[in-house]
Amino acid sequence: MSYPEDEDDAALFRSAIGEVTPMRPVETPVTGKPRPKPRARMAEQDESQALGEFARLLRSSGPLDAGDVASYRRENLPARMFQRLKRGQYSVQDELDLHGATAAQAEMMLREFLLEAHAHEHGCVRIIHGKGLQSDGGAPVLKNLVDRMLRQRNDVLAFHSAPLTQGGTGAVLVLLANR
């Protein structure tokens, strides 16, 4: 079917569809109050649970002292592997020394170190935090920081203060999960 070129498209459309009945306008109820903005409730819930878990960890165990052993094991890690870690029987594939770092610097260094350890697929690393004998206020800052941070990470299967020959209570051996 061919149409003359000068005919209007709108006129062609109306002739093609035929007669129509206009719709009535839809009235929206006016309540006076704007609708509330959407909230990410699940994200808020996850955040509050994570903060609650961190607060529980802080309450359940007081800060570590200079001579205290730092120790942690995930439930799914076999006890035999944890015993080998405690004895220092794993080959340490990399090491981070935090001596002289501030808490903020140590936190950043530790995060970067663990990312790099995973990139190189290291299974066991040593973190030297010192015993904290120079800390003001008594509690070793870096030792407690390392303890708290490692407990929060999903990629850490276990950690334990190193044997005396590898740094004693001034260092931890960390067993990392495979990717």
Side-chain angles (χ1 to χ4, degrees), residues 6-63:
D6 59 345
E7 228 177 292
D8 182 25
D9 285 340
L12 285 173
F13 178 74
R14 282 192 293 281
S15 70
I17 61 168
E19 193 160 327
V20 295
T21 307
M23 292 179 59
R24 287 179 283 166
V26 178
E27 293 183 27
T28 57
V30 179
T31 60
K33 292 192 292 184
R35 292 184 64 143
K37 291 185 179 183
R39 287 180 33 214
R41 288 191 183 118
M42 293 305 290
E44 290 172 2
Q45 184 179 356
D46 290 346
E47 185 69 23
S48 69
Q49 283 178 347
L51 289 173
E53 177 68 16
F54 188 67
R56 185 190 63 76
L57 273 172
L58 288 174
R59 283 192 307 272
S60 67
S61 61

Side-chain angles (χ1 to χ4, degrees), residues 6-176:
D6 59 345
E7 228 177 292
D8 182 25
D9 285 340
L12 285 173
F13 178 74
R14 282 192 293 281
S15 70
I17 61 168
E19 193 160 327
V20 295
T21 307
M23 292 179 59
R24 287 179 283 166
V26 178
E27 293 183 27
T28 57
V30 179
T31 60
K33 292 192 292 184
R35 292 184 64 143
K37 291 185 179 183
R39 287 180 33 214
R41 288 191 183 118
M42 293 305 290
E44 290 172 2
Q45 184 179 356
D46 290 346
E47 185 69 23
S48 69
Q49 283 178 347
L51 289 173
E53 177 68 16
F54 188 67
R56 185 190 63 76
L57 273 172
L58 288 174
R59 283 192 307 272
S60 67
S61 61
L64 296 170
D65 287 328
D68 290 348
V69 171
S71 184
Y72 171 79
R73 174 178 78 99
R74 290 204 182 273
E75 291 178 9
N76 60 347
L77 183 76
R80 186 173 177 197
M81 289 180 75
F82 188 59
Q83 289 301 321
R84 288 188 62 207
L85 180 69
K86 286 169 71 171
R87 292 185 197 116
Q89 294 176 340
Y90 285 102
S91 174
V92 174
Q93 295 166 303
D94 204 355
E95 181 176 276
L96 172 67
D97 190 344
L98 297 174
H99 276 109
T102 65
Q105 291 169 337
E107 183 176 349
M108 183 185 68
M109 290 168 64
L110 182 56
R111 288 181 198 282
E112 288 176 8
F113 175 73
L114 292 174
L115 282 173
E116 197 173 301
H118 278 291
H120 291 95
E121 298 181 1
H122 295 323
C124 183
V125 295
R126 180 174 29 245
I127 300 167
I128 302 168
H129 47 69
K131 294 185 180 184
L133 298 174
Q134 307 293 322
S135 293
D136 292 332
V141 176
L142 296 181
K143 182 174 187 170
N144 282 288
L145 174 80
V146 169
D147 181 77
R148 299 293 188 255
M149 282 184 67
L150 293 177
R151 287 174 189 271
Q152 295 297 310
R153 295 186 60 99
N154 289 331
D155 55 354
V156 173
L157 296 174
F159 64 86
H160 195 276
S161 289
L164 286 176
T165 57
Q166 296 183 35
T169 58
V172 290
L173 299 178
V174 183
L175 199 57
L176 297 171

